[in-house]
Amino acid sequence: VKTAIVTGSAAITAMAGYSVKVGSDFEAAMSKVSAISGATGDDLQKLTEKAKEMGAKTKFSATESAQAFEYMAMAGWKTDDMLNGIEGIMNLAAAEDLATTSDIVTDALTAMGLQASDSGHFADVLAAASSNSNTNVGMMGETFKYVAPVAGALGYNIEDLSQAIGLMANSGIKSTQAGTA
């Protein structure tokens, strides 16, 4: 009985330590979001609640959601942009890393001259291209890094660009090589 009590006590202590770490990681990530975006008060509360909501209803944690908000804030997105864009990005990130996907989407949207409100559509186009060709979102992100600024300046749309990237990937031209080709 004494061994069981000691073992149970150790398990409870470990869980409490884990909970504190998860909570402090989340708070640290939201502090970064606030510092980068300038969101305070009601805006920061809305972002905090949205991150918690995403943590509850997706495969991603609230801390991972906050990390995605960090990349959105670095891209200059405002509170409403982040609140409206997170779900589309999370859908795209289902098979990828959320923070990386957020970085890819925000960078490519800017390069293509699109707005944060276009993130859901953009994510859908990338998801379709990556699932229907021999590439993935990470490789497409590397491609966009090189081609999106030029394609955006020339007025190409995301659908045509994604189709071209997918066709190149099917021919073995992927990632940075596709972006420079």
Side-chain angles (χ1 to χ4, degrees), residues 36 149 167:
I36 296 166
L167 291 170

Side-chain angles (χ1 to χ4, degrees), residues 1-7:
V1 172
K2 184 177 179 183
T3 303
I5 292 172
V6 170
T7 302

Side-chain angles (χ1 to χ4, degrees), residues 50 53-54 57 72 82-92:
K50 187 67 167 185
E53 176 191 335
M54 295 293 94
K57 74 178 198 179
M72 292 175 192
M82 291 188 266
L83 293 171
N84 294 326
I86 189 72
E87 291 190 44
I89 290 172
M90 286 186 151
N91 290 338
L92 180 61

